[in-house]
Amino acid sequence: MSSRSQAKPNKEQSRKIDWHRILGITITDLFTNSNYDVDLEKELTLKKQYLDIVIIKKGSGNPIDNLPDGLENLAQYNLLTYKSLREPLNVWAIEELIGHYVNYRKQISPSLDDLLPVSDFKLFALSTSYPHKLGHSIKINKIKDGVYDLKLGLHPIRLIVTRRVPKSKQNAIWNLFSGQGDKFVYGNKHYNWHCQDERAALNQLYELYQLEGVKMPYTWKDLRKDFTREHLHLLTPNERLNGISVNERLNGIPVNERLNGIPVNERLNGIPVNEVFKQFSPEEIEEYLSKLKRK
């Protein structure tokens, strides 16, 4: 859904818009601190037509390595249209992407007589499902699993099908948007968020999958537990123990380990003599002391 009107969306439209917004937030996180900026829902016309995502190379920031499959060799300006789980990537969507490219190139060039070179731009179509109907009209060439090239007119376009991209740490971001429960879980486990606050978008994504009837291996609560477990090493000991009672801390620790390193006078401190004699006879105490002397 690379263009949308400003009319108030109905329930179905809202769900579609959420997919695009969540993807935009996640891709923005992917390029955080890198030498690329990300623009979301770039307005291109007076009728409020929007291009989903623009990835723009900048002069500052760290070069980004190990980009997910299909995003290798980015240009100066990278225009991306996205089709979520129930949205078809058809010929019209590709023509619309090309139209957005034409408008965008005009807007950022010095003038209409001095347009930026074509080589400064790359076009991407990201789709959850493989566009079988599109293949009837446009030749689709496979580059590798989940990554294809297609051309309409003079414009080469990189097609990324998230459902077909294999599981890998490098592709974790695509796995999140694959429309498959097991890949979502894998992506959640292996995508390294730069901005932890943005990770809340996964909650919405998980709910969208449930609305679409996608079978999820476990609950959102399980996902949060897994995330916490995998990141405990980032907390200080005091932070890990915060909120845990003394009894809970000592649970499961053998007595000899609890007392290890504590001087004898501190161990006996606060224990009344009469309490000691209630549990042991004088003879038992003398026998124990004799053994200590022999050692």
Side-chain angles (χ1 to χ4, degrees), residues 60-173:
S60 60
N62 302 316
I64 184 166
D65 298 320
N66 298 319
L67 282 167
D69 288 352
L71 288 186
E72 306 91 347
N73 303 314
L74 291 172
Q76 183 70 37
Y77 303 97
N78 305 274
L79 284 60
L80 188 150
T81 187
Y82 170 53
K83 297 300 176 186
S84 58
L85 196 59
R86 307 299 177 196
E87 296 178 290
L89 180 67
N90 51 28
V91 175
W92 174 250
I94 298 301
E95 290 178 337
E96 193 175 46
L97 174 61
I98 295 171
H100 287 329
Y101 151 71
V102 172
N103 285 334
Y104 187 73
R105 187 181 176 199
K106 288 178 180 178
Q107 286 187 17
I108 64 173
S109 293
S111 71
L112 295 181
D113 296 324
D114 185 19
L115 295 174
L116 293 175
V118 175
S119 58
D120 279 359
F121 300 85
K122 288 189 75 170
L123 307 184
F124 296 84
L126 184 67
S127 178
T128 305
S129 304
Y130 185 84
H132 292 282
K133 291 184 178 180
L134 180 66
H136 297 160
S137 306
I138 302 175
K139 185 177 180 180
I140 301 176
N141 297 316
K142 181 177 179 180
I143 305 302
K144 54 185 172 181
D145 289 347
V147 180
Y148 310 83
D149 276 344
L150 55 90
K151 183 181 286 189
L152 184 61
L154 300 176
H155 302 277
I157 297 170
R158 174 58 54 89
L159 168 63
I160 303 168
V161 180
T162 57
R163 178 165 286 179
R164 293 193 174 187
V165 171
K167 288 181 184 177
S168 71
K169 291 182 179 180
Q170 180 175 323
N171 291 322
I173 189 170

Side-chain angles (χ1 to χ4, degrees), residues 52-295:
D52 287 323
I53 297 170
V54 184
I55 302 170
I56 307 165
K57 190 172 185 179
K58 58 184 182 179
S60 60
N62 302 316
I64 184 166
D65 298 320
N66 298 319
L67 282 167
D69 288 352
L71 288 186
E72 306 91 347
N73 303 314
L74 291 172
Q76 183 70 37
Y77 303 97
N78 305 274
L79 284 60
L80 188 150
T81 187
Y82 170 53
K83 297 300 176 186
S84 58
L85 196 59
R86 307 299 177 196
E87 296 178 290
L89 180 67
N90 51 28
V91 175
W92 174 250
I94 298 301
E95 290 178 337
E96 193 175 46
L97 174 61
I98 295 171
H100 287 329
Y101 151 71
V102 172
N103 285 334
Y104 187 73
R105 187 181 176 199
K106 288 178 180 178
Q107 286 187 17
I108 64 173
S109 293
S111 71
L112 295 181
D113 296 324
D114 185 19
L115 295 174
L116 293 175
V118 175
S119 58
D120 279 359
F121 300 85
K122 288 189 75 170
L123 307 184
F124 296 84
L126 184 67
S127 178
T128 305
S129 304
Y130 185 84
H132 292 282
K133 291 184 178 180
L134 180 66
H136 297 160
S137 306
I138 302 175
K139 185 177 180 180
I140 301 176
N141 297 316
K142 181 177 179 180
I143 305 302
K144 54 185 172 181
D145 289 347
V147 180
Y148 310 83
D149 276 344
L150 55 90
K151 183 181 286 189
L152 184 61
L154 300 176
H155 302 277
I157 297 170
R158 174 58 54 89
L159 168 63
I160 303 168
V161 180
T162 57
R163 178 165 286 179
R164 293 193 174 187
V165 171
K167 288 181 184 177
S168 71
K169 291 182 179 180
Q170 180 175 323
N171 291 322
I173 189 170
W174 296 154
N175 297 151
L176 287 171
F177 291 87
S178 65
Q180 297 172 313
D182 62 324
K183 285 187 176 180
F184 172 85
V185 173
Y186 181 91
N188 175 69
K189 183 176 181 180
H190 291 97
Y191 179 67
N192 182 27
W193 288 85
H194 298 86
C195 303
Q196 291 301 318
D197 290 344
E198 303 293 2
R199 193 176 184 274
L202 284 184
N203 195 3
Q204 300 175 50
L205 183 59
Y206 183 87
E207 291 173 354
L208 283 171
Y209 276 133
Q210 290 186 312
L211 285 171
E212 295 288 1
V214 177
K215 185 177 180 181
M216 304 303 283
Y218 51 34
T219 66
W220 179 248
K221 185 178 180 180
D222 295 326
L223 290 172
R224 286 185 296 183
K225 282 184 178 179
D226 282 352
F227 177 83
T228 303
R229 191 178 298 115
E230 292 161 11
H231 293 81
L232 276 177
H233 65 282
L234 300 176
L235 301 177
T236 65
N238 285 338
E239 288 173 331
R240 296 186 202 183
L241 294 174
N242 186 32
I244 302 176
S245 68
V246 174
N247 289 335
E248 288 174 322
R249 296 184 189 188
L250 296 177
N251 187 32
I253 303 176
V255 175
N256 60 324
E257 290 186 19
R258 297 186 195 181
L259 298 176
N260 188 32
I262 301 176
V264 174
N265 61 326
E266 290 187 22
R267 297 186 194 184
L268 297 176
N269 186 33
I271 302 177
V273 175
N274 61 330
E275 289 294 328
V276 176
F277 283 103
K278 282 183 181 179
Q279 299 181 46
F280 304 100
S281 66
E283 292 77 12
E284 289 175 320
I285 294 173
E286 288 180 3
E287 182 181 355
Y288 178 73
L289 293 175
S290 298
K291 288 181 180 179
L292 290 179
K293 288 179 181 179
R294 287 196 296 271
K295 288 181 178 180

